[in-house]
Amino acid sequence: MSSSMRFAVFNPATGEQIGSALDGGADEARAAIGAAYAAFPAWAASGAYERAAKLYRAYELMLSKRDELARLMTAEQGKPLKMAHAEVKYAADFLLWFAEEAKRVYGETIPSARVDQRFLVRREPVGVVCAITPWNYPVSMITRKVAPALAAGCTIVLKPAETTPLCALAVFNILEEAGVPRGVANLVTAANPAPVGEVFCTDPRVRKISFTGSTEVGRKLYQWAAAQFKRVSLELGGHAPFIVFDDADPVHAAKGAAAVKFLNTGQACISPNRIFVQRSIAGPFLETLQKRVMAQRVGNGMDETSTVGPLFSQRALDKVDLQVQDAIARGAKLLAGGKRLVDGDLARGFFYAPTLLSEVTADMRIYREETFGPVAPVIVFDTEQEVLAMANDTGYGLASYVYTQNLSRAMRMFEGLQFGIVGINDINPTSAAAPFGGIKDSGLGREGARQGLEEYLETKLGGFSI
Ligand code: ADP
C-alpha cells in the first residue's frame, strides 16, 4: 500500500472528524520491525542510566503537555476532561517508575557445589517487542508497555487502536523529543489491525508480544505467537465482582460503587460488572446507589460539568442496550436509566443513560458477559460462602472489590477470590508501582511494578570454571 493513505479519526461525543492517521499495513509493520531490530543492539548496550534519563525526560515532557494531551484525549476518546487529566498523570507515572526501575535490573551470583566453579546470572532485554493497545485508556496503556520495554533495553513497535491513533502519535512525539533514538520506539497506525497483528506475531525478529484488548483477540495472538515461542503478556477482559457485606457502611460502599462503576463510562476492564450486596443492607445500599446514579451528568467530556461521557461506538451502545433489555425481559428491576440519550446535542454521540438494575439473576446476559458500559447490575446475597462462589463463577479473573469491616473476612476474601487484583474497601487498587494483571481468561503477565519489568527481561546463566 502507499503510505499516503490515511484514515479518519472521529470524536465520539459529536461524530465530527478531528483528524486522520497513516493507514499502515503488513509492509509498514515489517519495516518498523526492521528498524527496531537494527536499533536493538545499540539500545541494549546503551546502559541503564542513559535509558533512565531519557524516560525521565519523557516523564517531564508529558507532564508539561498534560493539558494539551488531556484535551486531545477527550476529543478523540470521549472521557471527561478531568478524567483525561488524571489519565495523563497515570501515564506519566509509568515513565517515572520505569526510569527508576531501569537502574535496578540486578543479577545474581549463586554458590556452586564445586569450589572451582562460579555461577553468574545476568538479566538481558528480550529483544524486539511488538505491542498492541486499546482505545479506552489511549495514553496510559501505551506508556505501561513502552516504558518497561525501553527501561529493560528492548526496542518496540506499537500499534494503537484504530480509533485513537492521535493520542498515540502525541506520546511517540514526546519520546522522540525526549531523545529516544530513531528505531527504538516505532509507531504503526492502521485502520485494519489484523494484518499488522499477524506480522507482529509471525515475524521471527520479534521476541515478545504485549497486548491489551479483548479476550477473543488475545487468544488469537497467543496462538500465532506460540509457533515461535515468543514471550507474551496479555491484558484481557474482566467481569469484576463488587461485594458489599453487611458489616460495612452501605452508604459509603454505594458511593464507592458509583464512583468506580461510571469511570470512563464503565469502559474499563476493572469496572465492577456484578454488584453483590448482603440482604440486610440492600435497602440503604440501593437507595444511595440510585441517588448517585441519577446524579451523574452525561455530556460531552469537554464540558466541565460532565461526569459521564459517551460510549465509544454504535457497537458498544448496541451491546449495552442488549444486555439491559435482556435483563429487564428476564425480570430485573430498572431503577435508573435504561436507554440511549438523544436529547439535543446528545443525539450526535453514543450516549447511554447511567443505569441501575436490581434483582439481577444468573440467567441474564449481564450476569455472565462483560458490559463495558454505564450499567450497575445488583444482586442480593445471603452468605459469605454463597457470594464467594458466585463471584468466582466466571472465566475472567482480573479485578474484584470487597467492602467489609471484618478483618478476618477481608483476609478470607483476599485469599478466596480468584482474581489478580482484590480491592478491600478500596476502589482504586492500581498504580504504576503495583502489579496489574489477571488470571484465567483475563490474561497472562503483569504490568507496572517490578513484575512489569520482568516481562521484558531474559535470564542468562554463566557457569565459570576457575
Ligand atoms: P475492544 O473490543 O476493546 O476494542 P479489541 O481486542 O478489538 O478490543 O482491540 C484492542 C486492540 O486490538 C486494538 O488496538 C485493535 O486494533 C487490536 N486488534 C483487534 N483485532 C485484531 C487482530 N485481529 N489482530 C491484531 N490486533 C487486533
Side-chain angles (χ1 to χ4, degrees):
M1 68 135 246
S2 118
S3 57
S4 62
M5 276 170 66
R6 301 183 73 86
F7 61 99
V9 182
F10 298 94
N11 181 330
T14 64
E16 284 160 1
Q17 183 175 343
I18 55 165
S20 66
L22 281 177
D23 191 5
D27 290 345
E28 282 70 19
R30 271 189 287 271
I33 291 167
Y37 190 73
F40 174 69
W43 183 247
S46 64
Y49 278 71
E50 187 184 327
R51 297 196 297 270
K54 293 196 162 57
L55 287 171
Y56 188 74
R57 179 83 189 111
Y59 161 73
E60 290 184 316
L61 281 167
M62 186 170 279
L63 285 188
S64 75
K65 294 174 195 284
R66 191 169 173 180
D67 239 42
E68 176 188 327
L69 264 172
R71 289 192 159 272
L72 175 64
M73 195 191 305
T74 296
E76 192 178 36
Q77 193 270 345
K79 70 184 63 182
L81 207 48
K82 198 169 142 208
M83 310 301 165
H85 264 261
E87 188 186 332
V88 177
K89 168 71 169 54
Y90 183 50
D93 283 349
F94 287 103
L95 295 167
L96 175 61
W97 171 265
F98 286 109
E100 293 161 341
E101 284 299 288
K103 302 171 196 162
R104 299 185 192 114
V105 178
Y106 301 127
E108 245 182 305
T109 58
I110 299 172
S112 166
R114 274 172 38 207
V115 293
D116 67 336
Q117 186 181 41
R118 305 288 180 270
F119 283 131
L120 196 66
V121 176
R122 189 179 129 78
R123 310 305 308 278
E124 296 184 348
V126 297
V128 174
V129 175
C130 281
I132 297 177
T133 52
W135 49 267
N136 59 342
Y137 288 87
V139 173
S140 57
M141 294 303 97
I142 293 178
T143 54
R144 188 147 91 167
K145 296 182 190 312
V146 171
L150 298 193
C154 297
T155 54
I156 190 165
V157 181
L158 185 136
K159 189 204 77 62
E162 50 277 23
T163 37
T164 54
L166 304 181
C167 279
L169 216 58
V171 175
F172 277 72
N173 284 341
I174 287 174
L175 294 170
E176 191 177 347
E177 200 180 332
V180 172
R182 235 164 225 293
V184 170
N186 308 272
L187 181 68
V188 179
T189 53
N192 178 11
V196 175
E198 186 170 354
V199 170
F200 281 7
C201 292
T202 54
D203 189 308
R205 294 169 295 184
V206 176
R207 291 314 315 149
K208 180 181 170 70
I209 300 293
S210 179
F211 171 76
T212 299
S214 61
T215 296
E216 185 196 345
V217 173
R219 186 172 284 122
K220 188 149 73 177
L221 300 177
Y222 193 20
Q223 281 166 351
W224 271 335
Q228 292 165 2
F229 304 103
K230 292 190 202 305
R231 301 260 302 248
V232 176
S233 300
L234 302 168
E235 182 63 59
L236 310 175
H239 196 41
F242 188 104
I243 304 168
V244 185
F245 285 102
D246 62 8
D247 55 53
D249 173 355
V251 171
H252 178 65
K255 290 178 183 173
V260 63
K261 175 68 240 185
F262 297 103
L263 266 186
N264 214 20
T265 319
Q267 302 170 114
C269 46
I270 61 167
S271 186
N273 250 358
R274 297 167 294 152
I275 301 178
F276 297 100
V277 60
Q278 203 156 10
R279 193 170 304 277
S280 68
I281 55 157
F285 177 81
L286 274 168
E287 199 181 308
T288 304
L289 189 54
Q290 187 180 26
K291 275 192 216 140
R292 291 276 158 154
V293 173
M294 293 175 86
Q296 300 292 330
R297 295 194 51 134
V298 180
N300 188 323
M302 286 296 180
D303 177 346
E304 301 274 348
T305 62
S306 300
T307 58
V308 177
L311 279 167
F312 198 57
S313 62
Q314 182 65 46
R315 203 167 56 122
L317 200 62
D318 293 344
K319 180 180 169 197
V320 168
D321 198 50
L322 178 72
Q323 287 192 5
V324 170
Q325 301 316 328
D326 167 78
I328 293 169
R330 289 172 195 269
K333 221 163 108 188
L334 182 68
L335 299 182
K339 58 177 190 313
R340 181 176 184 175
L341 295 174
V342 289
D343 288 348
D345 279 353
L346 296 183
R348 295 158 65 204
F350 307 114
F351 292 95
Y352 200 83
T355 298
L356 176 60
L357 294 168
S358 67
E359 296 175 35
V360 168
T361 50
D363 59 332
M364 300 172 186
R365 276 174 177 271
I366 202 156
Y367 187 91
R368 299 255 152 235
E369 296 173 8
E370 190 179 32
T371 305
F372 243 60
V375 184
V378 177
I379 302 133
V380 171
F381 72 91
D382 289 297
T383 67
E384 182 182 318
Q385 205 180 13
E386 174 197 11
V387 78
L388 185 60
M390 287 196 288
N392 285 337
D393 180 24
T394 169
Y396 292 112
L398 187 55
S400 56
Y401 305 86
V402 178
Y403 273 68
T404 178
Q405 288 302 311
N406 177 324
L407 182 60
S408 306
R409 172 174 272 163
M411 187 56 76
R412 283 195 299 275
M413 295 305 284
F414 177 49
E415 292 178 359
L417 283 165
Q418 294 160 6
F419 293 83
I421 301 167
V422 184
I424 305 279
N425 301 316
D426 184 7
I427 53 167
N428 188 19
T430 56
S431 155
F436 184 105
I439 60 172
K440 303 195 288 184
D441 290 352
S442 291
L444 296 171
R446 293 294 178 268
E447 294 196 299
R450 66 186 162 73
Q451 288 86 348
L453 192 57
E454 290 286 322
E455 303 274 329
Y456 296 89
L457 294 167
E458 211 41 273
T459 296
K460 182 184 275 178
L461 172 69
F464 296 75
S465 279
I466 58 169

